Amino acid sequence: MGAAVNCSKHKCIALTFDDGPGPYTEKLLHELARAEVHATFFLVGRNVAARPGVVARIVADGHAVGNHTWDHVFMTKSRKAVIANQVDRTAAAIGSAAGVTTTLVRPPYGATDKRARAVLAARNDAQILWSVDTQDWSNRSVKKTTKRAVKGARPGAIVLMHDIRPTTVKAVPKIIKKLTKRGYTFVTVPQLLGGDLRPGTVYYSR
Ligand code: NI
């Protein structure tokens, strides 16, 4: 995913977008391309099936993608077979839409446990959570989302946002501008964490 960035030397930060693709994702892709920023999208399988062309564009634009289950299920309330099926179906949809495989999984709600870990480890998937919660889903405010992202920023941080919220898409150029001024380099999750992620392990930041 893009050029190599040395995150032990640079102030790297990873913007992540969950629950899409949705009606505002292409607008976000336009903003990210204009700013020359690469991000990571944790895709919901049923939305991938509804908008495969958008997923192809996400990948073509150089962003990273991860798996956010087919129906946005609570892994902690699902049987092992259900978790595996939810992740498998989504992986297949991403593969057919964009021709890529991913070993990044973000459990919906950040809800994970020993059982989910075992299922994901067996699939060779790592669990990617976050260190900065913008609360964009509930605040639905450009100002609050921007403020929380900028305040929470640290070198190595993973920032949680949702591209299905129009206020989030509006906040992103402001977040990029402010963090760029503070010397941050925007990277994908694979760039931030490096290539060798341990299967099943939960990552919150670099
Ligand atoms: Ni989600």
Side-chain angles (χ1 to χ4, degrees):
M1 292 291 158
V5 179
N6 186 344
C7 291
S8 58
K9 288 187 176 166
H10 291 91
K11 282 171 75 173
C12 290
I13 194 162
L15 303 182
T16 68
F17 299 97
D18 288 12
D19 298 358
Y24 314 106
T25 304
E26 287 186 283
K27 175 144 174 40
L28 174 62
L29 290 174
H30 174 76
E31 297 294 352
L32 292 172
R34 203 162 64 158
E36 297 182 20
V37 163
H38 287 148
T40 305
F41 290 78
F42 289 95
L43 305 166
V44 166
R46 64 182 182 205
N47 295 341
V48 173
R51 290 184 161 88
V54 179
V55 177
R57 187 176 158 203
I58 290 172
V59 171
D61 281 2
H63 304 293
V65 292
N67 191 319
H68 199 44
T69 77
W70 186 267
D71 293 307
H72 206 268
V73 294
F74 270 104
M75 289 189 179
T76 49
K77 296 177 186 173
S78 305
R79 288 179 295 114
K80 274 187 168 182
V82 172
I83 298 171
N85 180 265
Q86 285 275 328
V87 176
D88 280 341
R89 283 175 76 193
T90 303
I94 292 171
S96 84
V100 292
T101 56
T102 176
T103 56
L104 310 178
V105 171
R106 174 167 282 166
Y109 316 99
T112 186
D113 58 12
K114 229 173 155 179
R115 223 157 32 90
R117 182 193 175 109
V119 174
L120 297 172
R123 292 182 41 89
N124 208 30
D125 291 329
Q127 305 188 68
I128 310 298
L129 271 63
W130 55 84
S131 55
V132 181
D133 184 352
T134 61
Q135 296 181 358
D136 62 331
W137 176 261
S138 57
N139 69 39
R140 304 188 185 198
S141 152
V142 175
K143 202 174 167 185
K144 284 180 184 164
T145 298
T146 304
K147 196 174 171 184
R148 289 192 65 96
V150 173
K151 269 198 145 181
R154 302 282 182 278
I158 297 175
V159 183
L160 171 67
M161 290 185 275
H162 298 81
D163 51 314
I164 56 167
R165 294 260 66 93
T167 40
T168 299
V169 174
K170 281 188 191 148
V172 164
K174 299 175 196 299
I175 292 168
I176 291 172
K177 200 174 164 189
K178 286 175 190 280
L179 292 181
T180 300
K181 268 191 191 160
R182 295 180 188 202
Y184 281 95
T185 299
F186 296 93
V187 295
T188 64
V189 166
Q191 286 175 319
L192 186 76
L193 299 179
D196 300 318
L197 299 183
R198 291 181 298 278
T201 297
V202 180
Y203 294 87
Y204 298 92
S205 63
R206 181 181 159 83

